[in-house]
Amino acid sequence: QKEVEQNSGPLSVPEGAIASLNCTYSDRGSQSFFWYRQYSGKSPELIMSIYSNGDKEDGRFTAQLNKASQYVSLLIRDSQPSDSATYLCAVTDSTGNQFYFGTGTSLTVIP
Amino acid sequence: SQTIHQWPATLVQPVGSPLSLECTVEGTSNPNLYWYRQAAGRGLQLLFYSVGIGQISSEVPQNLSASRPQDRQFILSSKKLLLSDSGFYLCAWGTGYRRNTIYFGEGSWLTVV
């Protein structure tokens, strides 16, 4: 399988701070890149997708992609306790059909 | 809007028993369909994916199999469960277009005892 690497954490940030999550991937042919959030005992839910180099912002979330460095990140501004979850990075293969996930980074936002 | 249903939500099965998990999607046609497994404290492992009826791709060798008897139905099966099959099984559907995005069902917790 293709490799997707994430720091497992745990990452702890105070409420209102910026949380920074990172991900690297091995397949230079990867087409699409995603961040999912998974609460304990629940299924993953899509937060953001990004397809081209640069930044993409959606509310408090910003995804950043650098294909040359095979690196994708997620910034969460004004972190809230409800953001406490595991964040999964996912990348597709060159066809865009197969999705490969990292092991996730556990984030705790401290009130 | 599209919805995905997966069942059963929880099951406890003895070693050597068969398994059948079912997943259906509503509100779309010809979706990509996926089965993932998440072992305790681990990442999502892609088991099978399908881009159409009768088209199943397997990612890893195992004692599991998948079938897609209808366009929006995806079934995960085993003839004889192993202890190592325990985990959280997730079905997902994808749009299948150039910017394919996948969405997960609620998952099935399997404990093999």
Side-chain angles (χ1 to χ4, degrees):
Chain A
Q1 288 200 2
K2 315 298 182 183
E3 291 189 359
V4 180
E5 301 285 343
Q6 296 181 253
N7 290 328
S8 61
L11 174 65
S12 294
V13 299
E15 184 174 354
I18 296 175
S20 178
L21 307 166
N22 304 314
C23 171
T24 59
Y25 59 95
S26 63
D27 183 5
R28 287 196 171 273
S30 293
Q31 284 266 353
S32 307
F33 308 85
F34 304 85
W35 285 98
Y36 288 79
R37 177 175 62 199
Q38 186 176 26
Y39 292 113
S40 180
K42 303 295 185 181
S43 63
E45 54 181 335
L46 180 68
I47 298 176
M48 289 193 68
S49 58
I50 187 167
Y51 305 99
S52 55
N53 284 329
D55 295 358
K56 179 181 179 182
E57 185 175 322
D58 183 0
R60 296 186 296 112
F61 299 95
T62 299
Q64 300 173 316
L65 175 61
N66 183 326
K67 290 186 177 181
S69 300
Q70 296 175 244
Y71 174 89
V72 59
S73 67
L74 179 70
L75 298 178
I76 307 174
R77 292 182 301 281
D78 188 24
S79 295
Q80 301 297 309
S82 59
D83 294 327
S84 298
T86 296
Y87 289 79
L88 302 172
C89 173
V91 305
T92 67
D93 65 351
S94 58
T95 70
N97 284 324
Q98 297 186 52
F99 283 64
Y100 298 98
F101 285 79
T103 54
T105 298
S106 176
L107 172 66
T108 300
V109 181
I110 303 168
Chain B
S1 64
Q2 299 85 5
T3 57
I4 179 169
H5 303 283
Q6 183 181 343
W7 69 92
T10 306
L11 63 166
V12 180
Q13 296 285 96
V15 169
S17 65
L19 171 72
S20 181
L21 300 178
E22 189 166 342
C23 172
T24 59
V25 180
E26 297 177 356
T28 187
S29 60
N30 196 31
N32 284 5
L33 295 173
Y34 304 81
W35 280 112
Y36 284 87
R37 177 171 61 199
Q38 189 174 38
R42 302 187 65 178
L44 291 169
Q45 179 186 30
L46 178 61
L47 300 176
F48 301 95
Y49 77 99
S50 171
V51 298
I53 295 176
Q55 301 178 61
I56 309 289
S57 296
S58 173
E59 277 294 293
V60 294
Q62 60 223 330
N63 69 325
L64 300 172
S65 62
S67 62
R68 185 171 178 171
Q70 301 181 40
D71 180 44
R72 292 170 292 169
Q73 183 184 26
F74 207 24
I75 297 172
L76 183 69
S77 304
S78 174
K79 292 182 179 180
K80 290 185 177 182
L81 285 168
L82 306 172
L83 286 173
S84 59
D85 291 324
S86 294
F88 189 36
Y89 287 80
L90 290 154
C91 181
W93 77 274
T95 57
Y97 299 118
R98 182 171 176 269
R99 290 189 170 183
N100 187 26
T101 302
I102 65 171
Y103 303 90
F104 288 91
E106 293 187 350
S108 299
W109 289 96
L110 169 65
T111 303
V112 182
V113 296

